[in-house]
Structures are given as C-alpha cells and as structure tokens.
Amino acid sequence: MLTLVGSLLVVNAPTLEISTGLASPMRFLGDISMCAYMIHLLLAEALGYAVGRELGSMPWWTLLAVLPVTILLGWLLTEFFEKPIERCCRPDKRAAKKSNAVNEAPTSAQVIGSPEAKVG
C-alpha cells in the first residue's frame, strides 16, 4: 500500500505543486534518491548489528531510525560527492563554443559531392 501511495505521488508530482505544494519535497527526494538508495541498506544493517538482530527480524521502529539518517546522508552524498563529480565530468560549454570542431567538419554529402571525391 505504501508503495502504491509513493508511486502515485511521484507520477502526479508535476500537478501537486498547484494543488498541495508537495512538488518541491518530491523533487528534493528525487534529487537525493540514488545516494539514499545506495546508503539505506548499509544503515539498516549497521542498526541491526547494533541492536543484535538480523535485517529481516527488525522491529518496526527501525524505519523511524533509519529513514531520517538515510535522507540526511543521501543529501550529504548528493551535495558533496555526486554533484561535484557531475560538474567535473560535464563537458565545458565554453570550450565547445570556441573550437566549433563539430560545426566545421564536413558532412558526408559535402565530401561525396566534392571534386576530390570524384574518380575519374
């Protein structure tokens, strides 16, 4: 049931901004979702180790303990790891405009139609 409600919120997120104002928190959760996904199981395992239980036999309150920490660590990882690496790996737009190497390269039609291409 919780999965269904979450799916409906994600699907309807663009229209929720007008009616309920939930689009901004949903966008935030969407931005941090990959890092939060990658860290949540590690946190649950660590909590299970701390309380002496396996992951499948954890009490219900572990969700209340893991969820806020997952959101916090997901945000920290997104801001200080994922975004800097993304900025570092993104091609520099200024360098692409200066070189214009793609725009200066001839197309195949130009090469085929050129006098040098005709054999004869």
Side-chain angles (χ1 to χ4, degrees):
M1 183 65 174
L2 185 60
T3 305
L4 177 64
V5 171
S7 299
L8 289 174
L9 285 174
V10 169
V11 169
N12 294 317
T15 59
L16 290 175
E17 187 171 29
I18 297 169
S19 59
T20 62
L22 287 177
S24 182
M26 294 301 288
R27 194 170 296 118
F28 169 74
L29 290 174
D31 288 343
I32 69 166
S33 64
M34 184 63 184
C35 290
Y37 171 75
M38 295 187 70
I39 199 74
H40 86 281
L41 192 57
L42 294 171
L43 292 172
E45 287 282 344
L47 182 63
Y49 183 75
V51 298
R53 292 215 171 152
E54 289 186 25
L55 192 57
S57 64
M58 302 276 276
W60 65 271
W61 57 264
T62 56
L63 177 65
L64 299 176
V66 171
L67 189 61
V69 177
T70 298
I71 292 172
L72 176 66
L73 287 177
W75 175 76
L76 288 171
L77 283 170
T78 301
E79 287 297 315
F80 298 109
F81 181 74
E82 184 179 349
K83 286 182 180 179
I85 288 178
E86 181 183 333
R87 282 191 297 267
C88 178
C89 295
R90 186 180 305 140
D92 189 11
K93 292 180 183 177
R94 291 172 291 170
K97 285 182 182 178
K98 287 181 183 176
S99 71
N100 279 335
V102 174
N103 293 334
E104 294 172 4
T107 64
S108 60
Q110 291 170 332
V111 171
I112 292 172
S114 67
E116 294 87 21
K118 294 186 179 185
V119 179

